[in-house]
Amino acid sequence: MSLQGKHIVLGITGSIAAYKSAVLTRLLVKRGAEVQIVITPAGKEFITPVTLSALSGRPVVSEFFAAGDGSWHSHVELGLWADLMVVAPATAASIGKMAGGIADNMLITTYLSMKAPVFVAPAMDLDMYRHVSTRRNIELLKGDGVQVISAVEGELASHLCGEGRMEEPENIVAAVERFFAGGNGLGKKRIVITAGPTFERIDPVRFIGNFSSGKMGFALAGECARRGAEVILITGPTALSAAHPGIRRVDVESAREMYDAALKVFPQADAAILSAAVADYRPERVCGKKIKRAGRESFTLSLVSNPDIAAALGKMKRPGQLTVGFALETEEEERNAIRKMEEKNLDCIVLNSLNDEGAGFGYDTNRVTLLSRSGERRSFPLKSKVDVARDIIDAVFDASRNSTACNETV
Ligand code: PMT
């Protein structure tokens, strides 16, 4: 594979693994990439800019201003120039700054200005790598759409053995090549995602709702956007924010608003992923004024059925369009999920069960089983919703390239 003409910003931070950045630079350049190195002040303690500029054929950028003539190094221009940014090695400190937006050096300002996708390859001691703070920051970065090339096990600078060693340069280059070859990319696909709960008004102060936080749907949106898709995220009420520029967010409140928004955009979409917990019923009439207790001991609310978004999209989809549903079940899980998949004409369905600890509403984790129309089944262990989103997108779109969703990985 070739990286001919690709513009890559290589960020280097202060880790002993910075010595491998020389090899990484060499490999990227050999494959035809133009490499612009941005190094943190700490990074220069581990490898010299002279080595790196000789290998990349470009002056290394480190400070905001050039020492000699005071000219400004534009992180904004770098953000526009790059086709990809790779931070390797990425220390715990730099990962934390990236996650928190602490732009106190040229590398982090470049990251914050970056218009292209970003990969990070962490490198640190094993205790730092598994520290809850590092894990949290890595999850934040993943949620922001950054592709994390996980550290591997091996001997570390401390001479301890364990996870924390930066992935080998050859494997980082392979990940970069896969990215440009579209191996895990979604090219220019347009994907509609529903997320969160719907609220069905009873009166001006009350509603029927559910416990969906939107985390699963937002993780899916981030994953699709990170792979280059244009995402239309139709979300019910949630406190979450969607940072990636590839995500167009449409806020709705009720099932009918979500239905209208989804039907409007689906004809131009390649796929719809329906992770929202949509209320099946709404009050027959919404009281204009707050309903008073008025001495009543009981109160009957008459409900009517809401439109089914998944079923409607399943009816209108044309060949080549995919619909992926979710099922949150409490009993006869697989049977119910398969029934829903068939009734709604879904290509596949993601089953999560409230009987699994850590799965379903509100958690940062989920445990899912993917079921497809052609009878395939694949179960995954409990993972963060960001990682679950990755598994779902891998399975659904790799499989759809082979024309039957969900089946390739089973
Ligand atoms: O938001 P989180 O807190 O992260 O939680 C994630 C989740 C548990 C909400 C999510 O993983 C999930 O399971 N979503 C589906 C919830 C559900 O119970 O769906 P359902 O069985 O009612 O519906 C089946 C499918 O039809 C779903 O894809 C649903 O979005 C869709 N549907 C349902 C009713 C309706 N009127 N319109 C629909 O599109």
Side-chain angles (χ1 to χ4, degrees), residues 194-197 211-217 255 274-280 306-311 324-329 340 344 346 349-350 352 360-363 366 385:
T194 66
F211 296 112
S212 171
S213 62
K215 286 177 186 169
M216 192 62 251
L274 304 148
S275 69
V278 185
D280 286 325
N306 267 329
D308 190 313
I309 304 161
V324 179
F326 270 72
L328 179 64
E329 302 295 337
K340 283 179 187 172
K344 296 170 195 254
L346 299 162
I349 196 155
V350 182
N352 37 193
F361 286 137
Y363 294 107
N366 206 358
K385 283 185 174 164

Side-chain angles (χ1 to χ4, degrees), residues 126-176:
L126 75 167
D127 290 318
M128 293 175 77
Y129 190 55
R130 62 180 169 218
H131 194 277
V132 63
S133 160
T134 308
R135 302 318 306 171
R136 186 171 56 235
N137 287 330
I138 287 178
E139 288 307 316
L140 281 173
L141 284 187
K142 287 181 184 174
D144 291 344
V146 171
Q147 168 85 51
V148 177
I149 302 173
S150 298
V152 293
E153 278 193 31
E155 194 183 346
L156 303 165
S158 58
H159 301 298
L160 293 171
C161 262
E163 218 181 359
R165 199 178 152 87
M166 187 177 89
E167 181 56 278
E168 292 306 320
E170 291 76 8
N171 293 336
I172 296 176
V173 172
V176 169

Side-chain angles (χ1 to χ4, degrees), residues 305-338:
S305 176
N306 267 329
D308 190 313
I309 304 161
L313 301 188
K315 271 203 188 97
M316 67 194 274
K317 77 177 161 193
R318 45 182 165 70
Q321 276 185 312
L322 276 178
T323 52
V324 179
F326 270 72
L328 179 64
E329 302 295 337
T330 52
E331 60 200 314
E332 294 197 44
E333 287 103 333
E334 290 205 18
R335 237 176 75 179
N336 284 331
I338 290 167

Side-chain angles (χ1 to χ4, degrees), residues 73-88:
H73 290 139
S74 172
H75 48 89
V76 178
E77 271 171 28
L78 280 176
L80 293 168
W81 174 84
D83 296 308
L84 186 74
M85 179 176 189
V86 182
V87 183

